[in-house]
Amino acid sequence: MNEHVSQPRRPIRQLDAAAQNRIAAGEVVERPASAVKELVENALDAGARHVRVTLADGGRTLIRVEDDGAGIPAEELPLALARHATSKIDGDDLVNIRTLGFRGEALPSIGAVARLEIVSRPPGVAEAAMITVEDGAPGPVRPAARAPGTTVTIRDLFCTTPARLAFLRSPRAEGQATAEMLRRIALAAPGTGIALYDATGADGPPRKLFDLPPERGPESARRAARADRIIRGGFAENAVAVEAARDGLQITGLAGLPSVARGAPVHQYLVVNGRPVRDRLLLSALRAGYGDLLARDRHPAVLLALECPPDCVDVNVHPAKAEVRFKDPAAARALVVTALRSALAGAGHLIGHTLSETALSTMTANGGGPSGQQPSIVTSNAAPMGPLPGSRGWGRPGGEWRPPSRTPSHTPSHHSARPAPGLAEAAAAFMAPHDTGQAEQFEDAAPDAALDLPLGAARAQIHGTYILAEAADGLVIVDQHAAHERLVLERLKRARAAHGVARQTLLVPEIVDLGDGAAQVVDAADLLAELGLEVEPFGPGAVCVRAVPAILGQASPAALLRDAADGLLETGTTEQLEARLDAVLSRIACHGSVRAGRRLSLPEMDALLREMEATPGAQRCNHGRPTSVRLGRTQIERLFERR
């Protein structure tokens, strides 16, 4: 057994400047992308209109950043290499920060771990000046030749700390990280042109990786144009504008439609006061804003810019300034969530799914199922099994619809999961969608009267599952079960919002020990009560639960409260409790809606289409899948080789 061997006490001493700079570099310069970020931010703070970045070996052997900004006077070059020397703040007010860089650590930190050269010339000055750094020691200032602006060259990154090189990834991976970082900066500063070149092993000119020109016009137009260059796949055409303001906070940007969501969160760009960030609070708000419009494994493409007074956000909480902290995080989160929900709700049937070119290419003019097998089609002569939302059968004796006793084998397996006993029966009053009055308008009119509506006019039903509707610009296919369960869910949500969440009083109140989180839960008691969770303080660190949401059945009061407490501590909201309530409503809606396999008449189909048009979010089911697919007229003509 090894025994602890006491070490002789060492005296406290001051580290020399070189060691201090190398330690600081460990926080500021984590990898080549970190060094490029610091230098490009300096260029933007200097008012540069064009920035060019050149790398070799992913930034290991060469990083060069050139700009046409304000430049640095020759007499200030030595001071620029001193720690905590900056022109961006005066030190009296560390809250009112309006620049990207402000701590004066980038250049001395880089000089401590690499060979550094700075060449700069302010406008109106006759000649440029140059200074170099070797082994952390600045050299003399010398004359040089350069147009107005600044060039910073870094060679042999981490040459003074070679152990750090072992933690770098391959040159290709480091180059990709730098490119992604530059794209984020480019989206935050659309008025500045940013280019990236690769000089690895090149005897001739460096190879251009991308060159983004400065965008023109209003800020919103510039940001949209820049986003379309960076987020490929026609992002701007498949996104809705986001704009909202509240309590001194303002948010603008673009939110990608759920129909073009990605398999990974690689195109989520967040900007706070012109600074690109990866903030957990904002990313959580982003997901909550889309809610159940997206499947769990899909991620939206978004570009959101949040502006607020500098004293409302702390940008100095992360060594690389990649995260921020809001003075009122709940307000910032609420603004993002409500702005996204409002924008997506206003998008209407743009949220629907348009058949992609890839899917179209798999279809052939002579394709189909086995020989002799024809799809079952129901027309107006079909015998209905009961009315649908908006049809005249609702509200009349014998007109109530009840789900069939058997679910077809092709129905997804998760539909078989039943909610707690009694929940579906308790919500029966909400299962019959109200008559919107729109169905009667078209029931007695000419069949073509609905062609110009977003979902068109119902023409047939196939496989007892899908509604075929003719629109002015093509064909719409609707999944009747997915569409109706969304309609029922939205009605249940409206009822909950109007009448509150029913509470189930506990026969014996339960005491839950929450430790330090108890105070925050007690402070939010009124908010929790609105969601059916009744709590009150019970001694130090403990909370007494007297009632729980009735809709959650036999859920554990302690587990519910701990989930709510975790959400309050992390985001200041009751999101987790709300999510559990929504999940139960979703299950009720799923089991109380029109099943696949049920035959519908044309008036019933039209009634379903009209209510979908009147319900925000009806273009995605409760699980985030599309409820309708649109095949454009041009695409149909291509299938038959007419184009």
Side-chain angles (χ1 to χ4, degrees), residues 20-95:
Q20 294 177 28
N21 286 339
R22 284 196 292 270
I23 292 172
E27 295 182 341
V28 177
V29 188
E30 178 187 1
R31 60 194 304 187
S34 306
V36 174
K37 173 181 178 292
E38 297 290 342
L39 299 180
V40 173
E41 287 181 347
N42 283 345
L44 294 176
D45 285 339
R49 292 283 296 162
H50 297 84
V51 179
R52 171 172 168 154
V53 179
T54 304
L55 304 178
D57 299 315
R60 289 170 177 248
T61 58
L62 173 68
I63 297 173
R64 179 178 291 118
V65 178
E66 306 166 79
D67 69 65
D68 57 357
I72 306 173
E75 63 274 13
E76 294 182 10
L77 282 175
L79 190 58
L81 297 171
R83 290 196 67 197
H84 307 306
T86 178
S87 63
K88 301 172 185 180
I89 60 174
D90 58 10
D92 293 334
D93 188 356
L94 297 181
V95 176

Coordinates of all heavy atoms in Angstrom, one line a residue, residues 20-95:
Q20 N 2.7 33.4 -17.6 CA 1.3 33.9 -17.5 C 0.6 33.9 -18.8 O -0.5 33.6 -19.0 CB 1.4 35.4 -16.9 CG 1.8 35.5 -15.5 CD 1.9 36.9 -15.0 OE1 1.2 37.8 -15.5 NE2 2.8 37.2 -14.1
N21 N 1.4 34.3 -19.9 CA 0.8 34.4 -21.2 C 0.5 33.0 -21.7 O -0.5 32.8 -22.4 CB 1.7 35.1 -22.2 CG 1.7 36.6 -21.9 OD1 0.8 37.1 -21.4 ND2 2.8 37.2 -22.4
R22 N 1.3 32.0 -21.4 CA 1.1 30.6 -21.9 C -0.1 30.0 -21.2 O -0.9 29.3 -21.8 CB 2.3 29.7 -21.7 CG 3.4 30.0 -22.7 CD 4.4 28.8 -22.7 NE 5.2 28.8 -21.4 CZ 6.3 29.5 -21.2 NH1 6.8 30.2 -22.2 NH2 7.0 29.4 -20.1
I23 N -0.3 30.4 -19.9 CA -1.5 29.9 -19.2 C -2.8 30.6 -19.7 O -3.8 29.9 -19.9 CB -1.4 30.2 -17.7 CG1 -0.2 29.3 -17.0 CG2 -2.7 30.0 -16.9 CD1 0.1 29.7 -15.6
A24 N -2.7 31.9 -20.0 CA -3.8 32.6 -20.6 C -4.1 32.0 -22.0 O -5.3 31.9 -22.4 CB -3.5 34.1 -20.7
A25 N -3.1 31.6 -22.7 CA -3.3 31.1 -24.0 C -4.1 29.8 -24.0 O -4.8 29.4 -24.9 CB -2.0 30.9 -24.8
G26 N -3.9 29.0 -22.9 CA -4.6 27.8 -22.8 C -6.1 28.0 -22.7 O -6.9 27.1 -23.1
E27 N -6.6 29.1 -22.3 CA -8.0 29.4 -22.3 C -8.5 30.1 -23.6 O -9.6 29.8 -24.1 CB -8.4 30.3 -21.1 CG -8.1 29.7 -19.7 CD -8.5 30.6 -18.6 OE1 -8.6 31.9 -18.8 OE2 -8.7 30.2 -17.5
V28 N -7.7 31.0 -24.1 CA -8.1 31.8 -25.2 C -7.8 31.0 -26.5 O -8.7 31.0 -27.4 CB -7.3 33.1 -25.2 CG1 -7.7 33.9 -26.5 CG2 -7.7 33.9 -24.0
V29 N -6.7 30.4 -26.7 CA -6.3 29.7 -27.9 C -6.3 28.2 -27.7 O -5.3 27.5 -27.3 CB -4.9 30.1 -28.4 CG1 -4.6 29.5 -29.7 CG2 -4.7 31.6 -28.4
E30 N -7.5 27.6 -27.8 CA -7.7 26.2 -27.6 C -7.2 25.4 -28.8 O -6.7 24.3 -28.7 CB -9.2 25.9 -27.3 CG -9.5 24.4 -27.1 CD -11.0 24.2 -27.0 OE1 -11.7 25.2 -27.1 OE2 -11.4 23.1 -26.8
R31 N -7.5 25.9 -30.0 CA -7.1 25.3 -31.3 C -7.0 26.3 -32.4 O -7.3 27.5 -32.1 CB -8.2 24.3 -31.6 CG -9.6 24.9 -31.8 CD -10.7 23.9 -31.8 NE -10.6 22.9 -32.8 CZ -11.5 22.0 -33.1 NH1 -12.7 22.0 -32.4 NH2 -11.3 21.1 -34.0
P32 N -6.6 26.0 -33.6 CA -6.5 27.0 -34.6 C -7.8 27.9 -34.8 O -7.7 29.1 -35.0 CB -6.2 26.2 -35.9 CG -5.5 25.0 -35.4 CD -6.1 24.7 -34.1
A33 N -8.9 27.2 -34.7 CA -10.2 28.0 -34.9 C -10.3 29.1 -33.9 O -10.9 30.2 -34.1 CB -11.4 27.0 -34.9
S34 N -9.8 28.8 -32.6 CA -9.9 29.8 -31.6 C -9.1 31.0 -31.9 O -9.5 32.2 -31.7 CB -9.5 29.2 -30.2 OG -10.2 28.0 -29.9
A35 N -7.9 30.8 -32.4 CA -7.0 31.9 -32.8 C -7.6 32.7 -33.9 O -7.6 34.0 -33.9 CB -5.6 31.4 -33.2
V36 N -8.2 32.1 -34.9 CA -8.8 32.8 -36.0 C -10.0 33.6 -35.6 O -10.2 34.7 -36.0 CB -9.2 31.7 -37.1 CG1 -10.0 32.5 -38.2 CG2 -8.0 31.0 -37.7
K37 N -10.8 33.0 -34.7 CA -11.9 33.7 -34.1 C -11.5 35.1 -33.5 O -12.1 36.1 -33.7 CB -12.6 32.9 -33.1 CG -13.8 33.6 -32.4 CD -14.4 32.6 -31.4 CE -15.5 33.3 -30.6 NZ -15.0 34.3 -29.7
E38 N -10.5 35.0 -32.6 CA -10.0 36.2 -32.0 C -9.5 37.3 -33.0 O -9.9 38.5 -32.8 CB -8.9 35.9 -31.0 CG -9.3 34.9 -29.9 CD -10.2 35.6 -28.8 OE1 -10.3 36.8 -28.8 OE2 -10.8 34.9 -28.1
L39 N -8.8 36.9 -34.0 CA -8.3 37.8 -34.9 C -9.4 38.4 -35.8 O -9.3 39.6 -36.2 CB -7.2 37.1 -35.8 CG -6.0 36.6 -35.0 CD1 -5.0 36.0 -36.0 CD2 -5.3 37.7 -34.2
V40 N -10.3 37.6 -36.2 CA -11.4 38.1 -37.1 C -12.3 39.0 -36.3 O -12.8 40.0 -36.8 CB -12.2 36.9 -37.7 CG1 -13.4 37.4 -38.4 CG2 -11.3 36.1 -38.6
E41 N -12.5 38.7 -35.0 CA -13.3 39.6 -34.2 C -12.6 41.0 -34.1 O -13.2 42.0 -34.1 CB -13.6 39.0 -32.8 CG -14.6 37.9 -32.8 CD -14.8 37.3 -31.5 OE1 -14.0 37.6 -30.5 OE2 -15.8 36.6 -31.3
N42 N -11.3 41.0 -33.9 CA -10.5 42.2 -33.9 C -10.7 43.0 -35.2 O -10.8 44.2 -35.2 CB -9.0 42.0 -33.7 CG -8.7 41.6 -32.2 OD1 -9.5 41.9 -31.4 ND2 -7.5 41.1 -32.0
A43 N -10.7 42.3 -36.3 CA -10.9 42.9 -37.6 C -12.3 43.6 -37.7 O -12.4 44.7 -38.2 CB -10.7 41.9 -38.8
L44 N -13.3 42.8 -37.3 CA -14.7 43.4 -37.3 C -14.8 44.6 -36.4 O -15.4 45.6 -36.8 CB -15.7 42.3 -36.9 CG -15.8 41.1 -37.9 CD1 -16.8 40.1 -37.3 CD2 -16.3 41.6 -39.2
D45 N -14.2 44.6 -35.2 CA -14.2 45.7 -34.3 C -13.5 46.9 -35.0 O -13.8 48.1 -34.6 CB -13.5 45.4 -33.0 CG -14.4 44.5 -32.1 OD1 -15.6 44.5 -32.4 OD2 -13.9 43.8 -31.2
A46 N -12.5 46.6 -35.8 CA -11.8 47.7 -36.5 C -12.5 48.3 -37.7 O -12.0 49.1 -38.5 CB -10.4 47.2 -36.9
G47 N -13.8 47.8 -38.0 CA -14.6 48.3 -39.1 C -14.2 47.7 -40.4 O -14.5 48.3 -41.5
A48 N -13.6 46.5 -40.5 CA -13.2 45.9 -41.8 C -14.5 45.6 -42.6 O -15.5 45.1 -42.1 CB -12.4 44.7 -41.5
R49 N -14.3 45.9 -43.9 CA -15.4 45.5 -44.8 C -15.1 44.2 -45.6 O -15.9 43.5 -46.1 CB -15.5 46.6 -45.9 CG -16.1 47.9 -45.3 CD -17.6 47.7 -45.1 NE -18.3 47.5 -46.4 CZ -19.6 47.1 -46.5 NH1 -20.2 46.7 -45.4 NH2 -20.1 46.9 -47.7
H50 N -13.8 43.8 -45.5 CA -13.3 42.5 -46.1 C -12.3 41.9 -45.2 O -11.4 42.6 -44.7 CB -12.7 42.8 -47.5 CG -13.7 43.3 -48.5 ND1 -13.9 44.7 -48.6 CD2 -14.5 42.7 -49.5 CE1 -14.8 44.9 -49.6 NE2 -15.2 43.8 -50.1
V51 N -12.5 40.6 -45.0 CA -11.5 39.8 -44.2 C -11.2 38.6 -45.0 O -12.1 37.9 -45.4 CB -12.1 39.4 -42.8 CG1 -11.1 38.6 -42.0 CG2 -12.6 40.7 -42.0
R52 N -9.9 38.3 -45.1 CA -9.4 37.1 -45.8 C -8.6 36.3 -44.8 O -7.6 36.8 -44.2 CB -8.6 37.5 -47.0 CG -7.9 36.3 -47.6 CD -7.2 36.7 -49.0 NE -6.3 35.7 -49.4 CZ -6.0 35.5 -50.7 NH1 -6.6 36.3 -51.6 NH2 -5.2 34.5 -51.1
V53 N -8.9 35.0 -44.7 CA -8.2 34.1 -43.8 C -7.5 33.0 -44.6 O -8.2 32.4 -45.5 CB -9.2 33.4 -42.8 CG1 -8.4 32.4 -41.9 CG2 -9.9 34.5 -42.0
T54 N -6.3 32.7 -44.4 CA -5.5 31.7 -45.1 C -4.9 30.7 -44.1 O -4.3 31.2 -43.1 CB -4.4 32.3 -45.9 OG1 -4.9 33.3 -46.8 CG2 -3.6 31.3 -46.7
L55 N -5.1 29.4 -44.3 CA -4.6 28.4 -43.4 C -3.7 27.5 -44.2 O -3.8 27.3 -45.4 CB -5.8 27.5 -42.9 CG -6.9 28.2 -42.1 CD1 -7.9 27.2 -41.7 CD2 -6.4 28.9 -40.9
A56 N -2.8 26.9 -43.5 CA -1.9 25.8 -44.0 C -1.9 24.7 -42.9 O -1.7 24.9 -41.7 CB -0.5 26.2 -44.3
D57 N -2.2 23.4 -43.4 CA -2.2 22.3 -42.5 C -3.2 22.5 -41.4 O -3.0 22.2 -40.2 CB -0.8 22.0 -41.8 CG 0.2 21.7 -42.9 OD1 -0.1 20.9 -43.8 OD2 1.3 22.2 -42.8
G58 N -4.4 23.0 -41.8 CA -5.5 23.2 -40.8 C -5.2 24.3 -39.8 O -5.9 24.4 -38.8
G59 N -4.2 25.1 -40.0 CA -3.8 26.2 -39.1 C -2.6 25.8 -38.2 O -2.1 26.7 -37.4
R60 N -2.1 24.6 -38.3 CA -0.9 24.2 -37.5 C 0.3 25.0 -37.9 O 1.0 25.5 -37.0 CB -0.7 22.7 -37.6 CG -1.7 21.8 -37.0 CD -1.4 20.4 -37.4 NE -2.3 19.4 -36.7 CZ -1.9 18.5 -35.8 NH1 -0.6 18.5 -35.5 NH2 -2.8 17.7 -35.3
T61 N 0.5 25.1 -39.2 CA 1.8 25.7 -39.6 C 1.6 27.2 -40.0 O 2.5 28.0 -40.0 CB 2.4 25.0 -40.8 OG1 1.4 24.9 -41.9 CG2 2.8 23.5 -40.3
L62 N 0.4 27.6 -40.5 CA 0.2 28.9 -40.9 C -1.3 29.4 -40.7 O -2.2 28.6 -41.0 CB 0.5 29.1 -42.4 CG 0.1 30.4 -43.0 CD1 1.0 31.6 -42.4 CD2 0.3 30.4 -44.5
I63 N -1.5 30.5 -40.1 CA -2.7 31.2 -40.0 C -2.4 32.7 -40.4 O -1.6 33.3 -39.8 CB -3.4 31.2 -38.6 CG1 -3.7 29.8 -38.2 CG2 -4.6 32.0 -38.6 CD1 -4.2 29.6 -36.8
R64 N -3.1 33.2 -41.4 CA -3.0 34.6 -41.8 C -4.3 35.2 -41.9 O -5.2 34.7 -42.6 CB -2.2 34.7 -43.1 CG -2.0 36.2 -43.6 CD -1.2 36.3 -44.8 NE 0.2 36.0 -44.6 CZ 0.8 35.0 -45.2 NH1 0.1 34.2 -46.1 NH2 2.1 34.7 -45.0
V65 N -4.5 36.3 -41.2 CA -5.8 37.1 -41.3 C -5.5 38.5 -41.8 O -4.7 39.2 -41.2 CB -6.5 37.1 -39.9 CG1 -7.8 37.9 -40.0 CG2 -6.8 35.7 -39.4
E66 N -6.1 38.9 -42.9 CA -5.9 40.2 -43.5 C -7.2 40.9 -43.5 O -8.3 40.3 -43.9 CB -5.4 40.0 -45.0 CG -4.1 39.1 -45.0 CD -3.8 38.7 -46.5 OE1 -3.3 39.6 -47.2 OE2 -4.2 37.6 -46.8
D67 N -7.2 42.2 -43.2 CA -8.4 43.0 -43.2 C -8.1 44.4 -43.8 O -7.0 44.8 -43.9 CB -9.0 43.1 -41.8 CG -8.2 43.9 -40.9 OD1 -8.1 45.1 -41.0 OD2 -7.7 43.3 -39.9
D68 N -9.2 45.2 -44.0 CA -9.0 46.5 -44.5 C -9.6 47.5 -43.5 O -10.2 48.5 -43.8 CB -9.7 46.7 -45.9 CG -11.2 46.3 -45.8 OD1 -11.7 45.9 -44.8 OD2 -11.9 46.5 -46.8
G69 N -9.4 47.2 -42.2 CA -10.0 48.0 -41.1 C -9.1 49.2 -40.8 O -8.3 49.7 -41.6
A70 N -9.3 49.7 -39.6 CA -8.7 51.0 -39.1 C -7.2 50.9 -38.9 O -6.5 51.9 -39.0 CB -9.4 51.4 -37.8
G71 N -6.7 49.7 -38.7 CA -5.2 49.6 -38.6 C -4.8 50.0 -37.2 O -5.5 50.5 -36.4
I72 N -3.5 49.8 -36.9 CA -2.8 50.1 -35.6 C -1.6 51.0 -35.9 O -0.8 50.7 -36.7 CB -2.4 48.8 -34.9 CG1 -3.5 47.8 -34.7 CG2 -1.8 49.2 -33.5 CD1 -3.1 46.5 -34.2
P73 N -1.6 52.2 -35.3 CA -0.4 53.1 -35.4 C 0.9 52.4 -35.0 O 0.9 51.5 -34.1 CB -0.7 54.3 -34.6 CG -2.2 54.2 -34.4 CD -2.6 52.8 -34.4
A74 N 2.0 52.8 -35.6 CA 3.3 52.1 -35.3 C 3.6 52.2 -33.8 O 4.1 51.3 -33.2 CB 4.4 52.8 -36.1
E75 N 3.4 53.4 -33.2 CA 3.8 53.6 -31.8 C 2.9 52.7 -30.8 O 3.3 52.5 -29.7 CB 3.7 55.0 -31.4 CG 2.3 55.6 -31.5 CD 1.9 56.2 -32.9 OE1 2.6 55.9 -33.8 OE2 0.9 56.9 -33.0
E76 N 1.8 52.2 -31.3 CA 0.9 51.4 -30.4 C 1.1 49.9 -30.6 O 0.5 49.1 -29.9 CB -0.6 51.7 -30.7 CG -0.9 53.1 -30.3 CD -2.4 53.4 -30.4 OE1 -3.2 52.5 -30.7 OE2 -2.8 54.6 -30.4
L77 N 1.9 49.5 -31.6 CA 2.1 48.0 -31.8 C 2.7 47.3 -30.6 O 2.2 46.2 -30.2 CB 3.0 47.8 -33.1 CG 2.3 48.0 -34.4 CD1 3.3 47.9 -35.5 CD2 1.2 47.0 -34.6
P78 N 3.8 47.8 -29.9 CA 4.3 47.1 -28.8 C 3.2 47.0 -27.7 O 3.1 46.0 -27.0 CB 5.5 48.0 -28.3 CG 5.9 48.7 -29.5 CD 4.6 49.0 -30.3
L79 N 2.4 48.0 -27.5 CA 1.4 48.0 -26.5 C 0.3 47.0 -26.8 O -0.3 46.4 -25.9 CB 0.7 49.4 -26.3 CG -0.2 49.6 -25.1 CD1 0.5 49.3 -23.8 CD2 -0.7 51.0 -25.1
A80 N 0.0 46.8 -28.1 CA -1.0 45.8 -28.5 C -0.6 44.4 -28.1 O -1.5 43.5 -28.0 CB -1.2 45.8 -30.0
L81 N 0.7 44.1 -27.8 CA 1.1 42.8 -27.4 C 1.2 42.7 -25.9 O 1.7 41.6 -25.4 CB 2.5 42.5 -28.1 CG 2.5 42.5 -29.6 CD1 3.9 42.4 -30.1 CD2 1.7 41.3 -30.1
A82 N 0.9 43.7 -25.2 CA 0.9 43.6 -23.7 C -0.5 43.1 -23.3 O -1.5 43.4 -23.8 CB 1.1 45.0 -23.1
R83 N -0.5 42.3 -22.2 CA -1.7 41.7 -21.7 C -2.7 42.8 -21.1 O -2.2 43.8 -20.5 CB -1.4 40.7 -20.5 CG -0.8 39.4 -21.0 CD -0.9 38.4 -20.0 NE -2.3 38.0 -19.7 CZ -2.7 37.4 -18.7 NH1 -1.9 37.1 -17.7 NH2 -4.0 37.0 -18.5
H84 N -4.0 42.6 -21.4 CA -5.0 43.5 -20.9 C -4.8 45.0 -21.5 O -5.2 45.9 -20.8 CB -5.1 43.5 -19.4 CG -5.2 42.2 -18.8 ND1 -6.2 41.3 -19.2 CD2 -4.5 41.5 -17.9 CE1 -6.1 40.2 -18.5 NE2 -5.0 40.3 -17.7
A85 N -4.3 45.1 -22.6 CA -4.2 46.4 -23.3 C -5.1 46.4 -24.5 O -5.1 45.5 -25.3 CB -2.7 46.6 -23.8
T86 N -6.1 47.3 -24.5 CA -7.1 47.3 -25.5 C -7.6 48.8 -25.7 O -7.5 49.6 -24.9 CB -8.3 46.5 -25.0 OG1 -9.4 46.5 -26.0 CG2 -8.9 46.9 -23.7
S87 N -8.1 49.0 -26.9 CA -8.7 50.3 -27.3 C -10.2 50.3 -27.2 O -10.9 51.3 -27.5 CB -8.3 50.7 -28.7 OG -8.8 49.7 -29.6
K88 N -10.8 49.1 -26.8 CA -12.2 48.9 -26.9 C -13.0 49.3 -25.7 O -14.2 49.6 -25.7 CB -12.5 47.5 -27.3 CG -11.8 47.1 -28.6 CD -11.9 45.7 -28.9 CE -11.1 45.3 -30.2 NZ -11.1 43.9 -30.5
I89 N -12.4 49.3 -24.5 CA -13.0 49.8 -23.3 C -12.0 50.5 -22.5 O -10.8 50.4 -22.7 CB -13.6 48.6 -22.4 CG1 -12.4 47.6 -22.0 CG2 -14.7 47.8 -23.2 CD1 -12.9 46.6 -21.1
D90 N -12.5 51.4 -21.6 CA -11.6 52.1 -20.7 C -11.4 51.6 -19.3 O -10.6 52.1 -18.5 CB -12.0 53.6 -20.6 CG -13.4 53.7 -20.0 OD1 -14.0 52.7 -19.5 OD2 -14.0 54.8 -20.1
G91 N -12.1 50.5 -19.0 CA -12.0 49.8 -17.7 C -12.9 50.3 -16.7 O -13.1 49.7 -15.6
D92 N -13.6 51.5 -16.9 CA -14.5 52.0 -15.9 C -15.8 51.3 -15.9 O -16.5 51.2 -14.9 CB -14.7 53.5 -16.1 CG -13.4 54.3 -15.8 OD1 -12.6 53.8 -15.0 OD2 -13.2 55.4 -16.4
D93 N -16.3 50.9 -17.1 CA -17.6 50.2 -17.3 C -17.4 48.9 -18.0 O -17.2 48.8 -19.2 CB -18.5 51.1 -18.1 CG -19.9 50.6 -18.1 OD1 -20.2 49.5 -17.5 OD2 -20.8 51.3 -18.6
L94 N -17.4 47.8 -17.2 CA -17.3 46.5 -17.8 C -18.6 45.8 -18.1 O -18.7 44.6 -18.4 CB -16.5 45.6 -16.8 CG -15.1 46.0 -16.4 CD1 -14.4 45.1 -15.5 CD2 -14.3 46.1 -17.7
V95 N -19.7 46.6 -18.0 CA -21.0 46.1 -18.3 C -21.5 46.6 -19.7 O -22.0 45.8 -20.5 CB -22.0 46.5 -17.3 CG1 -23.4 46.1 -17.7 CG2 -21.7 45.9 -15.9

